[in-house]
């Protein structure tokens, strides 16, 4: 009786401590709310969509972690997500075709312009479409695979914190491609160093919580090795998505007077459009990116995971229980994230999208600590504050450089 009361008191104390730390963290992060991409030219829907994006991503990341813990098959989960996105996007196109009010909820360029003569509800596949989306499908397959492998090995907060390093590698990649015209001063380098230090603090504190301090050296070494592999896979996934974001901006350009996002045209205009660079509506690209990603990963899935699934289905006892409800819910949340991602890529600039994506990672990290019920330490809070501070000054300094 006394033991049960003591456990409840300890649990209540840990929950209270976490709430106090998160409340302090929330007040400090609110002071840096300018990291949410809001400006005088920004639609008020953009920050609202960003907040929904943060909530959906935080919840979806924990579901992904649970799925991969119960069913450690990253290729199978990726294949299901590709199929689910194709079906969901096709159904969305049908709804938008028959319910015009739904189309008006999204910016122009989200749906194919089905009212034009000669255009189907869903754009037919062509060589041009497949060549356009092939790199994105390849990036999606590789990024998903390494991201899922990392999520199965290390905490969600570790994976998310590593992905906050993306601005550093975006700058390096754009400098290598000679697309970065801004001069970087010491203050910008200091802000990026602050981001890197914050990531290191978060990863270090997470590794201390996950690696057991046992007397058996073999188990301890194995846990450390697993943690290192998780960090490596998360870093590879981050680099892949950095390259994808740079390439995707050439397809999902934000709207302006001189560079408007084209949409699917009729057959009569198809030949004329071949002479100029052509971009497609977002749902068409979503469908064919997922088709290409599914096709590329199918061979790996058949070779590596299908035999295990086959034996699990037709032999007793089942070694792996597949959580179908969680997988379906994960597919729904993943589709919503994809829709929001394409919406933001079409509405805001590369830098603003990068900042919004990093703020999403910070939300995921905070929710992960709260969800796992680990006591939040001051070191972890320090890591988050270093991350947010670095991002805040980085964003401010880059804006000043753009003005100059």
């Amino acid at each position: 009786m006394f033991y049960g009361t003591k456990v409840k008191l300890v649990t209540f104390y840990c929950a209270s401590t976490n709430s106090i730390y998160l409340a302090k963290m929330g007040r400090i992060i609110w002071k840096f709310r300018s990291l949410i991409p809001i400006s005088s030219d920004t639609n008020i829907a953009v920050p609202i969509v960003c907040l929904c994006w943060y909530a959906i991503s935080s919840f979806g990341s924990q579901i992904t972690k649970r799925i991969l813990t119960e069913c450690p098959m990253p290729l199978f989960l990726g294949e299901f997500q590709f199929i689910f996105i194709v079906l969901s996007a096709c159904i969305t196109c049908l709804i938008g075709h028959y319910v015009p009010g739904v189309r008006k909820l999204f910016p122009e360029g989200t749906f194919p312009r089905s009212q034009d003569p000669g255009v189907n509800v869903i754009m037919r596949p062509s060589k041009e479409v497949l060549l356009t989306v092939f790199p994105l499908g390849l990036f999606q397959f590789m990024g998903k695979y390494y991201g899922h492998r990392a999520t199965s090995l290390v905490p969600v907060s570790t994976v998310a914190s590593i992905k906050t390093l993306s601005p550093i590698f975006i700058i390096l990649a754009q400098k290598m491609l000679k697309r970065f015209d801004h001069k970087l001063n010491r203050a910008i380098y200091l802000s990026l160093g602050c981001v890197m230090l914050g990531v290191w603090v978060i990863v270090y504190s997470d590794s201390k919580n996950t690696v057991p301090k046992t007397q058996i050296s073999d188990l301890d070494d194995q846990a450390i090795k697993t943690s290192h592999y998780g960090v490596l896979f998360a870093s590879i996934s981050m680099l892949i998505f950095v390259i994808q974001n740079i390439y995707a901006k050439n397809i999902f350009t934000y709207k302006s007077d001189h560079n408007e996002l084209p949409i699917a045209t009729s057959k009569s205009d198809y030949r004329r459009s071949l002479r100029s660079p052509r971009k497609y509506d977002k749902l068409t690209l979503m469908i064919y990116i997922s088709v290409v990603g599914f096709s590329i990963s199918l061979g790996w899935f058949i070779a590596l995971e299908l035999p295990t699934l086959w034996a699990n289905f037709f032999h007793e006892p089942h070694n792996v229980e597949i959580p179908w409800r969680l997988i379906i819910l994960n597919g729904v949340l993943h589709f919503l994230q994809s829709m929001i991602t394409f919406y933001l890529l079409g509405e805001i600039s590369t830098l603003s999208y990068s900042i919004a994506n990093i703020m999403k990672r910070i939300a995921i990290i905070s929710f992960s600590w709260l969800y796992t019920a680990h006591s939040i330490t001051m070191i972890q809070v320090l890591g988050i504050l270093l991350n947010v501070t670095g991002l805040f000054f980085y964003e401010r300094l880059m804006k000043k450089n753009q003005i100059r």
Side-chain angles (χ1 to χ4, degrees):
M1 184 72 178
F2 175 76
Y3 177 77
T5 304
K6 184 177 180 181
V7 170
K8 291 181 180 179
L9 290 173
V10 171
T11 304
F12 176 77
Y13 172 77
C14 292
S16 302
T17 305
N18 289 352
S19 300
I20 292 171
Y21 279 137
L22 288 174
K24 291 181 179 179
M25 191 188 309
R27 285 194 295 269
I28 296 173
I29 291 176
W30 173 250
K31 295 180 181 179
F32 301 109
R33 58 188 180 276
S34 60
L35 286 173
I36 299 176
I38 304 174
S39 67
S40 59
D41 299 328
T42 303
N43 186 352
I44 191 62
V46 171
I48 296 175
V49 170
C50 285
L51 293 176
C52 294
W53 193 30
Y54 302 158
I56 292 171
S57 301
S58 300
F59 187 57
S61 297
Q62 296 301 325
I63 293 178
T64 302
K65 175 69 174 179
R66 183 173 173 182
I67 291 171
L68 293 172
T69 301
E70 298 179 9
C71 178
M73 295 184 181
L75 290 172
F76 169 70
L77 181 59
E79 291 287 80
F80 182 87
Q81 288 176 344
F82 283 134
I83 295 174
F84 194 92
I85 285 178
V86 171
L87 295 176
S88 300
C90 291
I91 293 172
T92 304
C93 286
L94 288 172
I95 294 173
H97 177 71
Y98 291 106
V99 185
V102 174
R103 299 173 63 93
K104 297 178 181 179
L105 297 175
F106 294 89
E108 188 178 3
T110 300
F111 290 85
R113 189 176 290 173
S114 55
Q115 67 267 25
D116 289 345
V119 176
N120 294 326
V121 176
I122 301 170
M123 177 175 282
R124 295 178 181 178
S126 65
K127 181 180 179 181
E128 185 186 6
V129 174
L130 295 178
L131 288 177
T132 301
V133 303
F134 180 81
L136 289 173
L138 179 62
F139 294 146
Q140 278 289 310
F141 157 60
M142 297 176 63
K144 278 179 183 291
Y145 176 72
Y146 285 109
H148 289 163
R149 286 292 304 274
T151 303
S152 65
L153 297 176
V154 293
V156 172
S157 54
T158 297
V159 179
S161 64
I162 290 174
K163 290 184 178 181
T164 61
L165 296 172
S166 58
I168 299 173
F169 292 94
I170 285 177
I171 290 176
L172 292 176
Q174 288 181 339
K175 275 186 168 291
M176 292 175 62
L177 297 173
K178 297 182 179 179
R179 295 181 180 178
F180 194 81
D181 300 327
H182 304 293
K183 294 182 179 179
L184 301 180
N185 52 34
R186 293 181 180 178
I188 294 178
Y189 284 118
L190 181 62
S191 64
L192 293 177
C194 196
V195 174
M196 295 178 64
L197 181 60
V199 171
W200 181 84
V201 170
I202 293 171
V203 173
Y204 174 75
S205 60
D206 284 345
S207 65
K208 288 183 66 177
N209 290 333
T210 55
V211 176
K213 304 297 182 181
T214 61
Q215 299 295 328
I216 305 176
S217 59
D218 292 340
L219 292 177
D220 200 15
D221 292 341
Q222 182 64 29
I224 295 174
K225 188 176 181 181
T226 299
S227 179
H228 289 170
Y229 274 120
V231 172
L232 175 63
F233 292 149
S235 302
I236 294 174
S237 177
M238 179 266 299
L239 291 174
I240 291 171
F241 284 122
V242 163
I243 299 173
Q244 174 189 279
N245 288 340
I246 295 174
Y247 177 81
K249 285 304 297 183
N250 296 325
I251 300 174
F252 303 104
T253 55
Y254 67 98
K255 293 182 293 186
S256 66
D257 295 335
H258 304 286
N259 193 6
E260 187 175 0
L261 179 66
I263 59 177
T265 55
S266 62
K267 289 183 178 179
S268 61
D269 296 330
Y270 177 73
R271 295 177 182 177
R272 233 182 304 150
S273 65
L274 290 177
R275 299 177 183 176
S276 59
R278 188 181 181 195
K279 300 182 178 72
Y280 303 90
D281 57 274
K282 299 168 187 177
L283 282 173
T284 294
L285 289 168
M286 182 184 293
I287 291 171
Y288 292 114
I289 288 171
S290 299
V291 169
V292 171
F294 176 84
S295 302
I296 294 174
S297 58
L298 182 60
W300 296 94
F301 168 70
I302 292 174
L304 298 177
E305 294 181 357
L306 184 60
T308 303
L309 281 176
W310 186 272
N312 189 70
F313 276 124
F314 295 100
H315 295 83
E316 294 287 347
H318 299 310
N319 296 324
V320 178
E321 292 294 336
I322 301 178
W324 288 109
R325 293 181 180 178
L326 291 178
I327 290 176
I328 293 173
L329 179 58
N330 179 267
V332 173
L333 297 177
H334 192 74
F335 174 72
L336 292 176
Q337 289 184 62
S338 299
M339 288 291 291
I340 294 174
T341 298
F342 291 155
Y343 174 83
L344 293 176
L345 282 170
E347 291 291 323
I348 58 180
S349 64
T350 306
L351 180 61
S352 296
Y353 173 78
S354 175
I355 296 298
N357 193 35
I358 291 165
M359 287 301 296
K360 182 190 74 170
R361 299 297 170 190
I362 292 174
I364 292 173
I365 293 169
S366 303
F367 184 80
S368 173
W369 289 340
L370 182 63
Y371 183 84
T372 54
H374 289 306
S375 58
I376 300 176
T377 63
M378 286 303 299
I379 296 178
Q380 291 173 314
V381 175
L382 175 63
I384 279 284
L385 294 181
L386 286 171
N387 222 313
V388 175
T389 304
L391 291 174
F392 173 77
F393 286 107
Y394 170 78
E395 188 256 354
R396 285 297 183 189
L397 292 168
M398 292 299 291
K399 276 189 177 180
K400 287 183 179 179
N401 282 353
Q402 287 179 351
I403 293 173
R404 291 176 183 175

